[in-house]
């Protein structure tokens, strides 16, 4: 029923494919308009609206290295770097 269409991005001017599967999805959701931007421009537009995530620096309770975390570390609570955290998760699952 649907066939792939080539559309032109109104943001960057590049051609992109509006696939048959995407067209079916749009029809199921009741969307009336075809997409006007390519996937890269849509993602860039979405991410531009999001505020940058603030990272906090802490000392890893396991290895003593620097850990960057997306939350304000609380006094008396252990914080782990991503490598030590992954090792902990592995040992819990085993």
């Amino acid at each position: 029923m649907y066939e792939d269409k080539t559309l032109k991005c109104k943001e960057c001017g590049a051609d992109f494919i509006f696939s048959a599967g995407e067209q079916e999805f749009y029809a199921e959701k009741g969307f009336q308009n075809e997409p006007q931007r390519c996937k890269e421009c849509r993602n860039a537009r979405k991410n531009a609206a999001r505020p940058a995530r603030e990272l906090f620096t802490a000392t890893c309770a396991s290895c003593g290295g620097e850990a960057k975390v997306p939350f304000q570390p609380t006094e008396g609570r252990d914080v782990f770097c991503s490598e030590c955290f992954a090792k902990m998760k592995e040992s819990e699952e085993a």
Side-chain angles (χ1 to χ4, degrees), residues 5-7 16 18 23 26 31-37:
K5 288 184 184 178
T6 301
L7 303 175
F16 67 97
F18 184 35
Q23 292 174 52
Y26 271 52
F31 298 149
Q32 300 294 314
N33 301 321
E34 295 178 340
Q36 296 184 17
R37 292 176 180 83

Side-chain angles (χ1 to χ4, degrees), residues 76-87:
R77 304 261 335 242
D78 289 342
V79 175
F80 300 95
C81 66
S82 46
E83 287 140 18
C84 291
F85 185 76
K87 287 177 192 171

